Amino acid sequence: MSSAVLKLTKTEIQKLKSYYVDYLSSKKVPYSEFSAKKNGISITAYTSGKVLFQGNNAEQEAARWGNSATSNPKKAATSNLPKNFASLAVLGSDEVGNGSYFGPLCVCAAFADKDHLAALKQLGVKDSKMLTDPQIRQMAVAIKELIPYRLLVVNPEKYNEIQPKYNAVRMKVALHNQAIRLLLSDIAPTKPEAILIDQFTSEANYMKYVKQEAQAVKEKIYFITKGEQYHLSVAAASIISRASFLEELDKASLDLGVKVPSGAGRPSDELAAKLLRQGGIELLTKYAKLHFANTEKAQKLV
């Protein structure tokens, strides 16, 4: 079991709590703001500002929010980004859906050149976690009309087919690489001044997996957590991914005649149990990522 520790401000801890709202624990940990459990990873935020992540892939989960005391990604520091990075022509990529039991994994690469940065700012493009779902849906439409992008959507059925061969990190590496490669081809002969990936694993780990891809993109790549704060291309990619994820949840809700929840909390367990009763594992495979602990919980409910 691995662990990682972050030191965050009160505002940042409140953002964490909002993000993990579907995973919150009712058990009160002494001197804590909140505790949660997501995909086997325990997250405890203490009143001191310390946030402890424990469990398999704890460092990867912590990396979404900052640099932990136990990890040392080579390019996580802003000092490693080129000067005036926010004003450069950058291809950015991000993903949504990795932590949700129901719904797809959506990965998007978006290219924002210098001429588009002002327009993106005017649209209000920023970290998707700071936007409401209606804002995200509306903004995604405008972004798609403004800048070039490539969106990859892996529905649960396809995800379950791939997952036994690809662990969660390798799958994301493959998808980010594919989205970036396709977008580079789309915008050619234009070349971005840099490629920024919203960091979900260490640079060494990313490079280890990307070498296994047939057409690996490895030049001008930078990695940083909270990448949407450093360039609008990543924020745009995040919004497009989130909008697509929400759209796919809407489709699943329409198919099933019931609201399909995001996240991996108790509502997901209950819906999974309902689907198991209706159509067994074959039905559940079409809508959920089966390797999540929710599957076992749902089977126990049945």
Side-chain angles (χ1 to χ4, degrees), residues 4 15 17 22 26-28 57 72 92 99 103 154 174 186-187 191 195 221 231 243-244 252-253 258 264 266:
K15 288 181 183 178
K17 187 174 182 179
D22 291 330
S26 58
K27 183 179 179 181
K28 180 64 177 175
N57 301 317
N72 185 30
V154 182
D186 290 343
I187 65 175
K191 293 185 178 181
I195 297 170
I221 294 184
H231 202 277
S244 176
S253 298
V258 63
R266 179 72 180 184

Side-chain angles (χ1 to χ4, degrees), residues 24 34 54 67 85 91 114 128 158 219 264 289:
L24 293 177
F34 74 88
Q54 289 181 303
N67 300 324
F85 190 81
L91 188 158
K114 296 174 183 179
S128 64
K158 184 65 175 178
E219 296 180 358
K289 303 177 183 78

Side-chain angles (χ1 to χ4, degrees), residues 39-302:
N39 300 342
I41 301 172
S42 296
I43 304 105
T44 307
Y46 292 92
T47 52
S48 64
K50 183 179 78 170
V51 183
L52 175 63
F53 295 77
Q54 289 181 303
N56 293 332
N57 301 317
E59 290 186 18
Q60 294 165 20
E61 187 68 23
R64 301 185 64 87
W65 305 100
N67 300 324
S68 68
T70 57
S71 62
N72 185 30
K74 292 181 182 177
K75 299 214 174 190
T78 57
S79 59
N80 286 314
L81 293 178
K83 190 176 180 181
N84 301 321
F85 190 81
S87 63
L88 299 182
V90 173
L91 188 158
S93 69
D94 199 1
E95 86 281 337
V96 172
N98 182 61
S100 181
Y101 180 56
F102 286 104
L105 173 59
C106 301
V107 176
C108 181
F111 177 58
D113 63 23
K114 296 174 183 179
D115 295 334
H116 290 140
L117 294 176
L120 288 171
K121 286 180 183 177
Q122 191 172 5
L123 283 174
V125 172
K126 57 185 175 182
D127 182 358
S128 64
K129 298 185 189 73
M130 299 171 67
L131 299 168
T132 64
D133 287 348
Q135 286 175 321
I136 286 170
R137 292 176 190 268
Q138 185 176 9
M139 204 173 287
V141 174
I143 294 170
K144 288 177 180 180
E145 294 176 352
L146 181 65
I147 62 175
Y149 69 96
R150 274 286 187 156
L151 173 66
L152 304 178
V153 180
V154 182
N155 63 46
E157 197 163 18
K158 184 65 175 178
Y159 183 99
N160 293 323
E161 180 185 330
I162 299 170
Q163 192 273 325
K165 306 168 191 173
Y166 281 60
N167 64 39
V169 174
R170 186 184 174 190
M171 190 186 302
K172 285 193 287 184
V173 169
L175 291 168
H176 276 268
N177 181 73
Q178 184 181 2
I180 291 167
R181 178 176 56 79
L182 291 172
L183 185 54
L184 286 172
S185 177
D186 290 343
I187 65 175
T190 300
K191 293 185 178 181
E193 294 175 275
I195 297 170
L196 182 62
I197 297 174
D198 191 42
Q199 188 168 10
F200 55 86
T201 188
S202 68
E203 178 183 358
N205 215 26
Y206 183 94
M207 290 304 180
K208 177 186 74 174
Y209 285 124
V210 84
K211 286 177 183 177
Q212 300 176 43
E213 297 303 305
Q215 300 180 60
V217 179
K218 295 182 284 187
E219 296 180 358
K220 296 184 180 179
I221 294 184
Y222 296 85
F223 304 85
I224 195 163
T225 57
K226 303 180 184 179
E228 62 279 348
Q229 296 181 11
Y230 298 96
H231 202 277
L232 290 174
S233 60
V234 179
S238 176
I239 289 168
I240 293 172
S241 296
R242 176 69 181 171
S244 176
F245 175 76
L246 292 172
E247 183 180 340
E248 293 300 318
L249 281 189
D250 287 346
K251 290 178 183 177
S253 298
L254 191 62
D255 287 346
L256 296 171
V258 63
K259 176 69 174 176
V260 176
S262 177
R266 179 72 180 184
S268 295
D269 300 340
E270 292 172 350
L271 178 56
K274 182 177 181 179
L275 296 186
L276 286 173
R277 294 187 190 101
Q278 287 180 353
I281 199 70
E282 293 81 9
L283 179 60
L284 188 60
T285 298
K286 295 179 180 179
Y287 297 97
K289 303 177 183 78
L290 295 183
H291 71 99
F292 277 43
N294 301 80
T295 302
E296 185 178 348
K297 292 177 183 177
Q299 289 170 333
K300 288 180 180 178
L301 288 175
V302 171

